[in-house]
Amino acid sequence: MKSFLRAGGRMPAGLVASALLFALYAQGGVAWPLGFVVLAPWLRALDAAPTLGAALRGGLGMAVAFAAAVLWWFGNAIAGYVGLPEAGGVAIVLAAAPLLQPQFVAFALARHLAGRRHGAVVRALVGASAWVATEWLWPKLLGDTLGHGLAPSATLRQAADLGGAAGLTFLLLLANEAVACAWARRRDGVRAVARPLALALALALAMAGYGAWRLSTLALSTLAQSTLAQPTPGAPTLRLGMVQSNIVDYERLRREHGAYAVVREVLDTHYLMSREAVIDHRVDALLWSETVYPTTFGHPKSTDGEALDDEIRSFALAAGVPLVFGTYDRDADGEYNAAAFLDARGEVLGSYRKTRPFLFTEYVPPWLDGPILRRLLPWAGTWRPGDGARVFPLRLRDGREVAVAPLICLDDVDPALAVDAARQGAQALVGLSNDAWFTAHPDGARLHLAVATFRSIETRLPQFRVTNNGVSATIDATGAIRARTGMGERRLLIGELAVAAPPPRTLAVAWGDWVGRAAAIGLLLFAIGSGVRAWRRRRAARATASMPVGTPAAASSGVRFAADVPVLTPAARAVAAVLRLCAGGGLLWLGLHWLSGEIEAGSLAQFRLFLALVIAPSLAAWAIERAGAARVRLDDGTLVLELRDRRIEIPAARVAALSPWRWPLPAPGASLRLASGQVLPQGLSAVDTPALAQALAAAGASPTVAAAGASRAAAYARAWAGVRRRWFDRPLVKFGLFPLLPALPAFRLHQIIAYGGAFGEYYTFGLKAWLLALAIWWGSWAVGMTLYAAALRVPIELGTWAAVWLRPGRAAGVRRALVVGGRLLYYVGGPLALLLRALQG
């Protein structure tokens, strides 16, 4: 008990210590070395967590502590935007912390599960993989990750061109694990401490060594060169004039002066500062901030709007340089946050539509939108997201043409957009942002700039970034900030950076966000391997059992009941039940929206939603149940629970009651009450309750135990447990491998129609494109077959419950018949219907 209390007290201390370190680490500057130790106190607290539930609480606690220490300013910004007290905004951020920072929860759970059967090295690798895989599967609202804290280190941040900021995060997590391991071994001697510390030092030195080499290849001979304001002599450059007008709070100004007066003031200010850039500084092009022209350019809504559009075109013509500015765009589907490109003749080259509008303030997903939400959040935005990266040519006065890719505000937190732009031939990035809501919270602007910096490191593209009130900056290909403005100042920033044609191709550009994908695949393989090993252990245990249960010999030896079932605490059961309900609700929601046509089959949105709403909660529930896997048997009058880490023995005579679970979630089960009145904390899930009740009664338990087997809940449990699980009922086979059978002929038909042969896409675009298309078809069929199986499950459950209520004694037989029918419809009916449809076609 004392050790348990010490472990329980260690968690709050670890949370507080790591939160304080995070608060310092987030300040940047000289605090970047804290990235190698910031998690160590929390990791030591997790090491002491005795159960999966304790690890879950530790993960949730760290998410909340991180939000309080690092993202408090976000709560204040939300409060200012929606008109709440600052405390209310902070409370919203803290309540949403598990959604804003889900990697802490996934890391704590995966690390705890891996640590039960593996050593520190495997535990660290699994935990780090869970962290970066979660950030890949669940893109965070602000795009932050642990590796961004290394932005102030000119050498260490260079490794981001290998695996992005996610790669730096993975390495920092391993270094933190090594430091925590060294601290745990501090009483075991110098040699025991030196080994993990040497690993942490080796990781840091490897990053520094690569960074130094990379800087040298980019023609920066010393670290001091990162402070130079001029690009390398003789290199082709791009010189931009960026206008930071410091005009904010358009809505207040509209109320006070009217819409036209506000637009007039904004444009006149930008005209004046831009003329200075063209005449005095001889810039190649002009860059204005996001939504600087707060109406639809090229699609005027009034005669005044049409006149202002013509005025902007005339200004670009008079300036004689290209102009890029933030505005709105629209089509038949709605309006967009956009960037317009005008050439030196004032003609429109085109417009880019912001791909990642800010959730709620700019954009509401269609599945969430509706009259009720609009009444609750009248300030919610109505913009639509764009369709990805685009590259535009800037034709300069000297005859050169420089390809640039725009990123608007939150676009720069998505590595994929910058990577796609680099693949399309971009030579520079131009960022347009409106950080007005950070005016009173410079921590937000600093984080946004740090995240944007990594887009240049990953792609090795220079970046020109303008905001309306700070921080505007020029960032070279190494991530060095060559020039910048302050917050809340009106300033014309002149930036000149070298542009390469073509720019160097990095591993991050060639492979994209491969670290997150590789981590997810690695976790999947690890889970499969662990499952196979566990299955082999159970099979070996059954094979070596002296006498099988149910034989006369077994009866004479006293073995009356045996089963492999999950043993769950109330907290673990509640979490697993909620996760199962979330997965079921996610399937229902996906099915309804797919039938209504709101979600396109085979789209990236469908796959992401399926992973987030169905796969993720199902895997989490499965992990909780696997963590509680136990062998339960009744042997010589004693009920034995053999868990992973302990063995519980209860004389049958001490069992006073067996209570079937009223709600069979996450599966049918029962709880034990002892003669002392204590309810055993470990509940038995997926157990044949009537068989256990009968065996306990025969072994000398209270007579009330036998009565538990006659309840309707027990009848459902017997029906549920009475269906033998075949190998083809395993989820990996049923929902992973089997959908490949109908997917292959459908994919082949698509290839023949679209490309003239089964391998037409391979011959036209290469193996990667062909495999990606196959994966999309396979994934589409997997989602479809999962929805089909869910539809078949409905009559099975309804029929079983009907039998439970009308004929409890026959419920098991009814369920077996329904399950057999469901299997036939799934494995035979589905392919047969597809074949008949093909023959009819």
Side-chain angles (χ1 to χ4, degrees):
M1 179 61 73
K2 290 182 179 180
S3 62
F4 179 81
L5 292 175
R6 285 198 298 270
R10 185 178 295 175
M11 184 61 72
L15 292 174
V16 171
S18 283
L20 292 175
L21 291 174
F22 264 121
L24 296 174
Y25 181 55
Q27 297 304 308
V30 297
W32 64 263
L34 292 178
F36 291 88
V37 299
V38 66
L39 289 170
W42 180 54
L43 295 178
R44 290 294 298 126
L46 286 180
D47 290 342
T51 63
L52 187 67
L56 174 63
R57 291 190 293 273
L60 292 171
M62 192 66 247
V64 174
F66 178 89
V70 178
L71 300 180
W72 58 270
W73 56 266
F74 187 45
N76 291 342
I78 291 175
Y81 187 87
V82 302
L84 290 174
E86 289 190 348
V90 173
I92 291 174
V93 170
L94 296 182
L99 298 177
L100 294 173
Q101 304 295 327
Q103 75 280 2
F104 288 111
V105 179
F107 173 85
L109 293 176
R111 186 178 184 272
H112 181 86
L113 292 173
R116 287 184 167 183
R117 290 193 174 274
H118 302 277
V121 174
V122 173
R123 183 181 66 183
L125 290 172
V126 169
S129 297
W131 183 299
V132 296
T134 300
E135 291 186 330
W136 173 68
L137 288 169
W138 187 280
K140 292 192 285 186
L141 185 63
L142 301 177
D144 56 289
T145 189
L146 186 63
H148 288 146
L150 296 182
S153 174
T155 53
L156 268 61
R157 70 182 181 226
Q158 303 306 320
D161 74 352
L162 296 176
L168 300 184
T169 295
F170 190 86
L171 296 176
L172 286 177
L173 290 169
L174 296 182
N176 275 271
E177 289 278 11
V179 172
C181 182
W183 181 253
R185 298 178 180 180
R186 65 190 183 279
R187 294 187 178 89
D188 297 336
V190 176
R191 182 173 296 180
V193 173
R195 292 180 63 185
L197 286 182
L199 174 61
L201 181 60
L203 290 172
L205 290 177
M207 296 165 66
Y210 176 81
W213 170 80
R214 204 68 172 101
L215 287 173
S216 67
T217 63
L218 295 170
L220 293 176
S221 57
T222 65
L223 188 61
Q225 283 180 286
S226 64
T227 62
L228 296 177
Q230 297 297 326
T232 305
T237 64
L238 179 62
R239 184 177 178 85
L240 260 60
M242 294 169 281
V243 177
Q244 181 174 302
S245 66
N246 199 35
I247 300 176
V248 298
D249 200 354
Y250 283 9
E251 292 301 322
R252 179 182 61 81
L253 294 174
R254 280 194 185 100
R255 291 192 300 269
E256 295 176 356
H257 307 292
Y260 182 82
V262 174
V263 176
R264 182 75 273 162
E265 179 187 358
V266 170
L267 290 179
D268 288 344
T269 301
H270 282 77
Y271 292 156
L272 179 63
M273 299 177 71
S274 297
R275 290 189 183 99
E276 178 187 349
V278 174
I279 297 171
D280 297 343
H281 299 282
R282 303 290 296 173
V283 297
D284 295 320
L286 294 168
L287 185 61
W288 298 352
S289 61
E290 177 189 14
T291 61
V292 66
Y293 183 52
T295 186
T296 52
F297 180 78
H299 304 278
K301 300 179 180 179
S302 65
T303 55
D304 287 339
E306 185 177 3
L308 290 173
D309 288 0
D310 293 338
E311 183 180 296
I312 294 174
R313 294 190 189 95
S314 299
F315 172 79
L317 174 62
V321 297
L323 170 63
V324 183
F325 63 97
T327 182
Y328 306 168
D329 194 11
R330 71 174 178 178
D331 59 19
D333 294 327
E335 290 193 2
Y336 305 82
N337 188 344
F341 280 73
L342 302 183
D343 63 15
R345 297 171 297 177
E347 296 180 359
V348 179
L349 291 176
S351 64
Y352 164 76
R353 296 169 174 176
K354 184 176 180 181
T355 302
R356 283 196 57 167
F358 206 92
L359 185 64
F360 292 126
T361 61
E362 293 183 329
Y363 163 73
V364 177
W367 59 269
L368 189 59
D369 204 354
I372 296 177
L373 182 133
R374 293 292 170 179
R375 284 197 298 270
L376 294 174
L377 307 177
W379 44 263
T382 57
W383 278 329
R384 297 178 60 83
D387 52 5
R390 291 191 65 187
V391 175
F392 296 86
L394 289 183
R395 298 183 178 91
L396 310 183
R397 286 185 291 194
D398 59 6
R400 289 185 299 138
E401 188 174 285
V402 178
V404 301
L407 299 172
I408 301 178
C409 195
L410 272 191
D411 285 343
D412 59 22
V413 310
D414 186 355
L417 285 174
V419 166
D420 287 345
R423 291 171 177 171
Q424 293 176 26
Q427 296 171 259
L429 303 174
V430 291
L432 299 79
S433 188
N434 183 344
D435 288 349
W437 63 325
F438 294 149
T439 301
H441 311 289
D443 285 344
R446 184 172 57 248
L447 171 64
H448 197 180
L449 178 61
V451 174
T453 297
F454 278 87
R455 304 296 83 85
S456 288
I457 302 171
E458 292 157 357
T459 61
R460 296 303 177 188
L461 296 177
Q463 183 177 170
F464 300 85
R465 183 174 186 269
V466 64
T467 69
N468 59 337
N469 70 322
V471 176
S472 302
T474 56
I475 306 165
D476 70 13
T478 71
I481 298 175
R482 298 295 193 169
R484 59 177 293 171
T485 65
M487 285 291 295
E489 65 174 349
R490 178 172 294 184
R491 181 177 170 187
L492 173 64
L493 181 66
I494 305 299
E496 186 172 7
L497 295 172
V499 291
R505 191 169 179 86
T506 66
L507 188 64
V509 171
W511 291 4
D513 188 9
W514 65 270
V515 173
R517 290 196 299 270
I521 294 172
L523 282 177
L524 179 61
L525 295 177
F526 177 80
I528 293 173
S530 298
V532 171
R533 287 191 294 271
W535 174 72
R536 288 176 175 174
R537 285 194 298 269
R538 291 196 302 270
R539 187 178 65 172
R542 288 193 295 266
T544 55
S546 57
M547 298 173 194
V549 177
T551 63
S556 64
S557 68
V559 180
R560 300 179 180 275
F561 180 88
D564 294 313
V565 299
V567 174
L568 305 177
T569 63
R573 182 197 168 197
V575 173
V578 170
L579 290 169
R580 293 291 184 190
L581 288 173
C582 288
L587 268 177
L588 176 63
W589 182 88
L590 276 175
L592 293 176
H593 282 71
W594 175 64
L595 290 173
S596 66
E598 295 182 31
I599 296 179
E600 183 181 355
S603 64
L604 182 60
Q606 184 195 45
F607 293 143
R608 285 190 178 276
L609 288 170
F610 184 70
L611 287 173
L613 300 180
V614 181
I615 297 297
S618 297
L619 284 177
W622 173 84
I624 292 173
E625 292 166 2
R626 289 302 308 146
R631 179 75 170 172
V632 179
R633 73 175 192 272
L634 190 60
D635 190 354
D636 288 328
T638 301
L639 183 65
V640 181
L641 279 65
E642 295 179 345
L643 288 81
R644 293 177 185 269
D645 52 356
R646 62 192 182 277
R647 174 187 172 101
I648 301 174
E649 295 185 357
I650 305 170
R654 291 185 56 195
V655 178
L658 181 67
S659 304
W661 293 343
R662 181 175 299 178
W663 299 100
L665 291 170
S671 299
L672 291 167
R673 182 167 57 83
L674 305 182
S676 62
Q678 177 189 3
V679 177
L680 192 69
Q682 293 80 13
L684 308 180
S685 178
V687 69
D688 187 343
T689 305
L692 178 59
Q694 183 180 1
L696 284 171
S702 170
T704 58
V705 172
S711 67
R712 286 190 172 91
Y716 179 79
R718 163 152 284 183
W720 193 92
V723 178
R724 183 180 177 185
R725 268 64 174 177
R726 305 284 185 174
W727 63 269
F728 48 78
D729 289 324
R730 297 182 180 276
L732 186 61
V733 176
K734 186 173 183 178
F735 305 121
L737 296 179
F738 181 74
L740 186 59
L741 296 180
L744 285 175
F747 172 68
R748 181 177 181 274
L749 182 61
H750 160 74
Q751 290 287 306
I752 293 173
I753 295 174
Y755 300 99
F759 297 94
E761 191 169 5
Y762 165 71
Y763 293 123
T764 305
F765 297 107
L767 180 62
K768 181 179 179 181
W770 188 86
L771 291 176
L772 180 61
L774 175 60
I776 291 174
W777 279 87
W778 188 2
S780 299
W781 275 93
V783 173
M785 294 302 288
T786 304
L787 293 172
Y788 179 44
L792 293 175
R793 180 75 178 272
V794 173
I796 293 175
E797 295 299 331
L798 292 177
T800 303
W801 277 108
V804 166
W805 278 92
L806 298 176
R807 294 290 182 89
R810 297 184 180 181
V814 170
R815 185 176 182 88
R816 278 194 297 270
L818 290 171
V819 168
V820 170
R823 287 169 176 167
L824 290 173
L825 288 173
Y826 183 85
Y827 291 106
V828 180
L832 184 60
L834 179 65
L835 177 61
L836 292 175
R837 183 177 178 182
L839 292 175
Q840 292 173 356

